[in-house]
Amino acid sequence: MKEIGSGQVLYLLRHGQTTYNQLNIVQGGGIDSALNETGIEQARLFYERYKHLDWACGYASALKRTYETIQFFEQKGVSINKLPGLNELSWGEIEGLENSPEVQRKFLRVTDAWSSGQFDKSLPGGESADQVAKRAIGAIRQILAAHSYGQNILICSHGRTLRILLSVLLGYGLNKMQFFSHENTGVNILVHQGNFRFAALHLNRTEHLKN
């Protein structure tokens, strides 16, 4: 059955927990980490909550932590495609480092720049908000073009990429991306209303984790 909406319904999901998340180590697009035991359990709980829906398809980034989060759905015959456009933003020189005060200062320099509208700013060796928005929105357009109205589409991506996507898809602008919270396996449910306009039904929904 279809849960909601007449347009395509996008379930934009953040991946489950990894050891990098657990240890507060910077994990960007250059870190291809796997789910830890907690993350696998979060993924299973998400699957149990949403397996009843009529899924058209699943999409993951090219990083294994997103595929591992939704691979349970293959049991229901849902095919999962990998799109590099959904990859996490690359944090460049701070990737793989513990989130120390110095790392936090570097991080805030670039996120503060984005909040003030300087979307071309990036850390050395990393990506800018503009770059990620371009490729991630391109991935969403590709997904929408492949599916009809009335279909439920599962999309698993990453925290920063989801913040960028939500700020653009919901019309807030990239300088408001920080307003969008995210937790591991938190899901954002959006209905496509046509002409690349979206309405949010739920943001960062985590009720499945309480089971």
Side-chain angles (χ1 to χ4, degrees):
M1 73 179 186
K2 295 179 176 63
E3 187 172 77
I4 38 181
S6 58
Q8 296 117 319
V9 184
L10 306 184
Y11 288 72
L12 293 162
L13 172 70
R14 188 189 178 202
H15 62 80
Q17 187 187 90
T18 70
T19 300
Y20 283 79
N21 296 141
Q22 184 181 19
L23 298 178
N24 200 25
I25 295 173
V26 180
Q27 178 183 224
I31 303 290
D32 195 13
S33 53
L35 299 187
N36 61 16
E37 290 185 7
T38 297
I40 292 169
E41 178 63 7
Q42 291 169 335
R44 186 192 68 80
L45 289 170
F46 180 84
Y47 168 74
E48 292 296 332
R49 168 63 181 84
Y50 293 99
K51 66 182 180 182
H52 68 285
L53 295 182
D54 181 13
W55 293 104
C57 199
Y59 293 88
S61 76
L63 302 173
K64 60 189 174 187
R65 56 190 181 270
T66 57
Y67 169 72
E68 289 175 350
T69 301
I70 59 173
Q71 65 179 336
F72 285 103
F73 287 87
E74 291 180 326
Q75 302 173 34
K76 302 290 287 186
V78 179
S79 62
I80 299 174
N81 301 295
K82 296 182 179 180
L83 292 180
L86 297 172
N87 281 10
E88 180 60 301
L89 179 143
S90 171
W91 292 108
E93 67 178 8
I94 68 171
E95 287 191 357
L97 301 179
E98 185 178 351
N99 197 9
S100 65
E102 176 59 26
V103 166
Q104 188 63 208
R105 281 192 290 272
K106 292 180 178 181
F107 172 83
L108 289 175
R109 275 202 296 270
V110 72
T111 57
D112 287 348
W114 296 338
S115 294
S116 67
Q118 301 175 72
F119 308 128
D120 61 336
K121 299 298 183 183
S122 64
L123 285 164
E127 290 180 289
S128 69
D130 270 339
Q131 288 174 314
V132 174
K134 181 177 180 180
R135 62 169 168 80
I137 291 298
I140 296 298
R141 289 188 181 279
Q142 180 181 342
I143 290 167
L144 291 175
H147 298 285
S148 305
Y149 267 37
Q151 292 189 315
N152 295 314
I153 305 166
L154 181 59
I155 302 170
C156 191
S157 187
H158 307 261
R160 181 58 55 170
T161 299
L162 287 172
R163 281 180 160 171
I164 288 170
L165 276 173
L166 292 169
S167 67
V168 175
L169 297 180
L170 297 176
Y172 288 90
L174 287 173
N175 62 317
K176 299 295 193 298
M177 72 174 82
Q178 288 297 113
F179 293 166
F180 293 94
S181 299
H182 56 74
E183 296 180 49
N184 292 117
T185 69
V187 63
N188 306 278
I189 305 176
L190 276 56
V191 175
H192 181 215
Q193 299 179 311
N195 297 319
F196 211 66
R197 295 179 60 195
F198 299 83
L201 300 177
H202 295 281
L203 294 174
N204 195 32
R205 191 179 192 183
T206 57
E207 63 181 20
H208 55 280
L209 298 178
K210 299 178 175 67
N211 295 336

